[in-house]
Amino acid sequence: MNSGLERFKLLLSEYRGLAAWVVAGSAGATFVAYFLSIMPPYPEGVAVLTGIVQLLTLVLVFHFFDGVSKKRVSRHLRVLSLCLPLTFILYFIALEILVVKVNLPSGSYVVGFECTAKSLEVFADGCPLPGSSGLAKVIEGSAFSLDEIWTLRSIVASRIILLALWLAFFVLLSSLFSVFLVYNIGRDARR
Amino acid sequence: MPIILTILLFNSPLAGISQDGGEDGIEGVTSDYSVALDYVKGELSDAYTRLHVIPGLPSERLEKKYILDIDTCMDFFSSQGAEPLYQKLLLEAAMYDLQLREALASIDSLTEGVEAVLESFLEARLLEALHVRRFGSSSSLLHLNAEHPLQYIVASRLLAEIIQAQTKRRVLPSELSRLLGLHFERDEIAYLGEIFNDRRNSKLRELHQLFPEGVAILIQDFYGGWGGCMAGGIPTTRVFTDPPGARIRLISDFSSLLCRARGLPLMHRDCSTPDTISDGAEVNQGRYWVEVRWGSGASYCGLHRLVSSDGETWIKLTGDQPCE
């Protein structure tokens, strides 16, 4: 019988294999490039953070789901299968609304949703809210001082929302894979 | 007579040449550079006897390092009648050129395209020398490797690209990467390469054909903000004036709208805090009301995008009045 650590290493290996299959099955580099292109622009190093979160998820799933019944696994897989696309859609909506792309090497900016007092004076027609047109021009007009237009707390909140949804998606994705793997690895070991 | 101004993106060093008589200026400098190169080569032929070298290094390394006594060399240039800082830059350019050629000669399977890039290096060094001649007090230009001007960075990366493509190596030879003083980042090459191209020279000629005499040029030159700003950092640029020495005041378009909303003049302190910058200073990119005042009393005010991704787009400015 394998030790717990060895079985966790096996889980990691299987998880990597499954993830590689996903990448290969969806035209490899295109898949990766797509995910890189929709990554939150803040904070830097979000890819590393995502990797850490995935590993943490694997650890927790391995700890709590080792040896559980097929019925319980099935219930979790059903819930995860439902939540996963929902989270992705929510993230995608947030990305489209809260992130403004500018034609500069600096790329993308996360905007806020609460205008400063100055901004309310300037924009008599209404505060430039996320999702409205011409935000790139507004940002350029402020010389990229976003906190002149939106309050700092709303910018920070937007960043957190984006990051939270992104990480939630990967937590769910790695949970789905790992619950499936933990159950099947455990079943093979029991035979 | 209205002052005619032009914003020319990415072109500041060559504009410095214009004041010295268009292309004659660079020809003159190239000639100086040749003198410097010949001098350095001549001295190297018997480096031990005629040049001061740093003691303690193995002799075989000394021959390759081209460690020269700057003072000795500057004496030579003084005898040629050149300005001290300018001489030093020319000399360093020549020494660097020799070192670079030496390092490149040690790389196998490196054939095509290198000469052209070396010319770019030479041009970059000479342009820096011109900058110093023009902005003589600019401390940032005293050490060529301390702050990399655009041309130098571009030339370095173009060279790195050629070497990597031809040698199929992922990592540059350490000797060369140390000499270039840069970490090779593939993502940046395409963008930088796009900026640094031959059209720059033709644009300059075009400019001088359009305004043959008394041209005042406001130049915007991309400077920084490459890596590290993917997470919403602020991209920056540099603004130069020609004739040099003008005072520049900038207020963001956003602040100008605030002034208008409050019924105040454009640069009133209750609605804006204009950035008063000196010639050659670095500013955030963006859309600004730009006020330029020369010592002669000429001035200009207008709304412009100081955004370097516009590449070589020129914006002709007309008018002769300060911002109210």
Side-chain angles (χ1 to χ4, degrees), chain B residues 3-265:
Chain B
I3 298 289
I4 302 168
L5 305 167
T6 302
I7 290 182
L8 169 60
L9 303 178
F10 308 123
N11 208 5
S12 61
L14 283 173
I17 299 167
S18 67
Q19 266 211 304
D20 302 315
E23 296 204 348
D24 291 346
I26 199 159
E27 281 171 14
V29 173
T30 309
S31 164
D32 289 349
Y33 175 82
S34 301
V35 173
L37 188 60
D38 288 345
Y39 177 71
V40 172
K41 279 179 178 171
E43 293 299 292
L44 285 171
S45 65
D46 52 357
Y48 290 111
T49 54
R50 297 195 54 196
L51 298 173
H52 170 72
V53 291
I54 295 176
L57 287 175
S59 58
E60 64 274 13
R61 285 185 61 194
L62 288 175
E63 286 181 28
K64 292 183 179 178
K65 285 285 179 184
Y66 306 121
I67 299 165
L68 306 179
D69 184 338
I70 293 290
D71 291 337
T72 308
C73 298
M74 283 179 70
D75 286 345
F76 169 78
F77 278 96
S78 295
S79 68
Q80 305 285 310
E83 301 159 33
L85 186 58
Y86 179 55
Q87 306 157 15
K88 182 172 181 291
L89 284 162
L90 285 174
L91 188 63
E92 285 186 0
M95 288 164 62
Y96 185 84
D97 190 35
L98 286 173
Q99 287 182 44
L100 198 58
R101 284 170 194 276
E102 174 88 14
L104 289 172
S106 66
I107 301 174
D108 296 334
S109 62
L110 195 59
T111 52
E112 297 166 8
V114 176
E115 274 301 318
V117 180
L118 284 175
E119 281 176 23
S120 298
F121 265 101
L122 170 59
E123 186 189 16
R125 292 279 161 161
L126 296 179
L127 291 173
E128 281 176 312
L130 284 167
H131 251 306
V132 169
R133 191 159 65 172
R134 185 170 166 230
F135 306 111
S137 60
S138 175
S139 59
S140 66
L141 294 167
L142 286 174
H143 302 287
L144 294 182
N145 292 319
E147 287 193 20
H148 303 291
L150 176 66
Q151 291 81 5
Y152 174 66
I153 296 172
V154 173
S156 297
R157 290 193 167 141
L158 282 177
L159 184 61
E161 188 182 35
I162 289 171
I163 291 165
Q164 295 205 322
Q166 291 187 19
T167 61
K168 314 290 184 204
R169 292 183 197 176
R170 285 177 63 85
V171 180
L172 285 179
S174 61
E175 188 183 345
L176 190 64
S177 61
R178 203 165 45 244
L179 197 57
L180 297 178
L182 287 171
H183 298 293
F184 178 70
E185 294 168 59
R186 181 166 287 279
D187 291 344
E188 294 177 359
I189 286 175
Y191 187 79
L192 286 163
E194 189 183 320
I195 297 167
F196 187 75
N197 55 48
D198 294 338
R199 284 179 297 167
R200 188 184 52 188
N201 291 335
S202 62
K203 285 283 183 186
L204 186 73
R205 279 194 289 275
E206 190 183 327
L207 176 70
H208 283 283
Q209 281 168 5
L210 285 171
F211 311 112
E213 287 179 0
V215 178
I217 308 168
L218 177 67
I219 301 153
Q220 183 195 344
D221 184 18
F222 184 83
Y223 176 66
W226 291 108
C229 58
M230 292 305 289
I234 299 175
T236 56
T237 189
R238 276 188 176 191
V239 179
F240 296 93
T241 63
D242 198 357
R247 193 183 71 149
I248 306 162
R249 285 204 299 171
L250 303 169
I251 72 159
S252 68
D253 190 25
F254 178 81
S255 295
S256 76
L257 292 173
L258 184 64
C259 292
R260 190 178 299 167
R262 291 179 180 177
L264 295 169

